[in-house]
Amino acid sequence: NGIRKKMTNKINYIGLFSGGKDSLTMCHYMYKKGVMNEVIYCHTGVGLNEEYVKEVCQNFNWKLNIVSPAPFEYETFVQRYGFPRPTSHSWIMQRLKLNPIRKWYNKEKHKRDIIFLSGIRISESNRRRMNFGKKDNLKKLTGMTFAKPILIWSNDKVKEYIKTYNLKISPIYDILGLGGDCLCGAFTKKEHAPILKVKFPILAERFIELEKNCRGTWGQYQPLQSCNRNEDDGVLCSDCMIGDKK
């Protein structure tokens, strides 16, 4: 395939490691193949995986590059356009992830040839199936090249891989039922808000302040500031989101 054709000693493969199950699986898979030992993580300001990412990278001796958007980029977006929704998700991701990666890449591209490795999969969601074809495993985007080594992997194959290699997944999955890489709110469900408020009050308070001063609400349901649930309820409710776990 296209990835194998480009596997030469001149190419540096950089894993996009968000801390989610798919990016963990992809990075470890390419690491085991001897292709990748360096990753990049985006500190979006609305994620919960940074310490976990650092731990994994230390365990496997992966070089970790951490990039960040401009200060208060999320707040600036919400103040101008309202909270992210599915229709504006790609827009907020460009600001929180793509722009910082591109800035890092522009500094590195003169030193070495780089291909970024993404853990995106078409089985992940209907939206992904619509946006990517089964053979669409190499893509150029704003001058950067992205490869998708596990594009056609099924959910079961990812689960089996994690089990086979006894990979530690992010503890955020057990709390929120999702990876916690980016909690911009575009695809959150009703159950996420009260758990976030109880378990991660500092981040929740940021969203609540934005709800008070900006248009709309975090997530697609009731305002975060109106959610009330005691801690025991929040823990038990995390099982309601089992369908979100991959």
Side-chain angles (χ1 to χ4, degrees), residues 9 15 45 71 108 114 123 129 140 155 157 230-231 236:
N9 293 330
E108 292 289 320
I114 293 173
S123 297
R129 276 189 286 271
K140 281 277 190 180
N155 292 346
K157 186 171 182 177
N230 63 46
E231 186 167 351
L236 292 174

Side-chain angles (χ1 to χ4, degrees), residues 202-237:
I202 296 176
L203 183 58
E205 187 59 33
R206 283 179 58 200
F207 297 145
I208 289 172
E209 285 302 309
L210 284 169
E211 285 184 342
K212 292 177 180 177
N213 299 308
C214 304
R215 295 178 294 174
T217 62
W218 179 85
Q220 301 180 55
Y221 299 91
Q222 67 189 97
L224 185 58
Q225 56 189 310
S226 68
C227 293
N228 288 299
R229 178 171 291 161
N230 63 46
E231 186 167 351
D232 290 337
D233 243 343
V235 174
L236 292 174
C237 189

Side-chain angles (χ1 to χ4, degrees), residues 52-239:
Y52 164 75
V53 165
K54 290 178 179 177
E55 178 185 344
V56 172
C57 290
Q58 184 175 12
N59 289 343
F60 292 114
N61 198 29
W62 295 343
K63 180 181 178 181
L64 173 61
N65 304 283
I66 299 178
V67 298
S68 303
F72 307 108
E73 185 70 21
Y74 181 79
E75 283 83 353
T76 299
F77 181 94
V78 175
Q79 288 166 359
R80 290 179 179 175
Y81 309 110
F83 283 92
R85 292 293 180 260
T87 53
S88 59
H89 182 252
S90 60
W91 196 3
I92 186 66
M93 285 299 96
Q94 178 178 342
R95 289 168 173 251
L96 297 184
K97 288 188 174 183
L98 184 61
N99 288 349
I101 290 175
R102 182 169 51 226
K103 184 177 180 180
W104 179 87
Y105 172 78
N106 286 339
K107 293 179 180 179
E108 292 289 320
K109 67 182 181 180
H110 304 294
K111 308 173 189 175
R112 51 183 174 158
D113 292 326
I114 293 173
I115 291 180
F116 292 104
L117 301 173
S118 169
I120 196 169
R121 295 185 301 112
I122 58 176
S123 297
E124 188 179 8
S125 67
N126 291 330
R127 181 170 54 93
R128 292 281 165 82
R129 276 189 286 271
M130 292 173 61
N131 291 340
F132 298 96
K134 290 186 177 181
K135 296 182 179 180
D136 185 26
N137 60 351
L138 275 177
K139 182 177 183 179
K140 281 277 190 180
L141 186 62
T142 64
M144 300 179 288
T145 302
F146 294 83
K148 301 179 268 302
I150 64 170
L151 180 67
I152 61 174
W153 283 32
S154 66
N155 292 346
D156 287 340
K157 186 171 182 177
V158 170
K159 290 178 182 178
E160 185 61 30
Y161 187 93
I162 291 172
K163 181 180 179 181
T164 298
Y165 290 98
N166 195 28
L167 300 180
K168 178 184 176 182
I169 65 172
S170 170
I172 304 302
Y173 277 103
D174 290 331
I175 301 172
L176 279 177
L178 42 73
D181 160 45
C182 180
L183 298 173
C184 69
F187 293 102
T188 51
K189 296 188 176 181
K190 185 176 182 179
E191 297 88 351
H192 294 146
I195 299 174
L196 183 74
K197 192 173 182 181
V198 170
K199 291 294 187 179
F200 305 101
I202 296 176
L203 183 58
E205 187 59 33
R206 283 179 58 200
F207 297 145
I208 289 172
E209 285 302 309
L210 284 169
E211 285 184 342
K212 292 177 180 177
N213 299 308
C214 304
R215 295 178 294 174
T217 62
W218 179 85
Q220 301 180 55
Y221 299 91
Q222 67 189 97
L224 185 58
Q225 56 189 310
S226 68
C227 293
N228 288 299
R229 178 171 291 161
N230 63 46
E231 186 167 351
D232 290 337
D233 243 343
V235 174
L236 292 174
C237 189
S238 64
D239 285 341

